[in-house]
Amino acid sequence: MKTLFLALSILSTSFLVGAEKPQETKKLLHIGGGVYDIIHNPTNALVQVEYRPFIPKYPFLRPLVSLMGTDKATLYFCSGLACDIFLKKSFILTPSFAPGLYFKGNGKKLHFPIEFRSSMDLSYELKNKGRIGAQFYHISNASIGRKNPGAEALVFFYALPL
């Protein structure tokens, strides 16, 4: 999984060389739902809210703040950086990385409160500058905890332009 994410990240950065500078897109509020721990226990529902502002000086980079919760009272709060890569006129590939705090609730034990989220989004930009898309991510403690089981999630979202 990590190798796939790394390969996609390296491949996607090659688009930056010839990509046109994106038009200024507004701040985005991602609202989504999906499945948490999709590979090992795909019965856990999740909801997620994520805020990604726009920085005019760095049009491809977006800071992010995200909160995810599951039906098992698991919470994950993170903050990091996303990189918008415009593939075609309206398609955007967005890798991101965000360290955060994990609260198990009644869900999966990840063995450490500090976890790191590596994600990849594929979205379609609408005429109103909103986006619809899917996000896949892996949460891991990078082996700084006793164990490192990790968890994956698949989220379908609408990004509301603010």
Side-chain angles (χ1 to χ4, degrees), residues 17-159:
V17 176
E20 295 179 20
K21 183 177 178 183
Q23 294 180 353
E24 182 174 326
T25 50
K26 301 182 184 293
K27 299 171 186 173
L28 296 171
L29 181 65
H30 289 231
I31 301 167
V35 182
Y36 176 71
D37 201 19
I38 190 167
I39 293 175
H40 302 298
N41 186 8
T43 60
N44 298 312
L46 74 78
V47 292
Q48 181 172 298
V49 177
E50 191 163 305
Y51 175 67
R52 295 184 187 176
F54 176 76
I55 304 171
K57 189 172 181 180
Y58 304 102
F60 292 104
L61 296 178
R62 286 182 179 272
L64 68 87
V65 176
S66 182
L67 177 64
M68 177 273 291
T70 73
D71 59 345
K72 302 251 192 290
T74 298
L75 293 174
Y76 180 65
F77 174 76
C78 63
S79 179
L81 193 61
C83 178
D84 284 341
I85 300 165
F86 288 76
L87 303 176
K88 295 286 182 183
K89 183 178 179 184
S90 297
F91 287 95
I92 305 154
L93 186 67
T94 308
S96 68
F97 179 76
L101 296 174
Y102 182 80
F103 302 96
K104 175 183 150 311
N106 296 318
K108 186 172 186 176
K109 187 173 184 176
L110 295 184
H111 299 278
F112 206 72
I114 298 172
E115 299 286 330
F116 303 91
R117 186 187 86 177
S118 303
S119 73
M120 187 70 70
D121 303 3
L122 182 61
S123 60
Y124 179 80
E125 188 172 60
L126 305 169
K127 290 181 182 181
N128 70 351
K129 298 296 183 191
R131 298 178 185 181
I132 56 170
Q135 177 185 55
F136 182 81
Y137 59 81
H138 173 76
I139 298 175
S140 167
N141 65 33
S143 296
I144 57 177
R146 256 182 343 135
K147 294 181 181 179
N148 186 18
E152 291 75 26
L154 179 62
V155 180
F156 297 97
F157 65 85
Y158 174 68

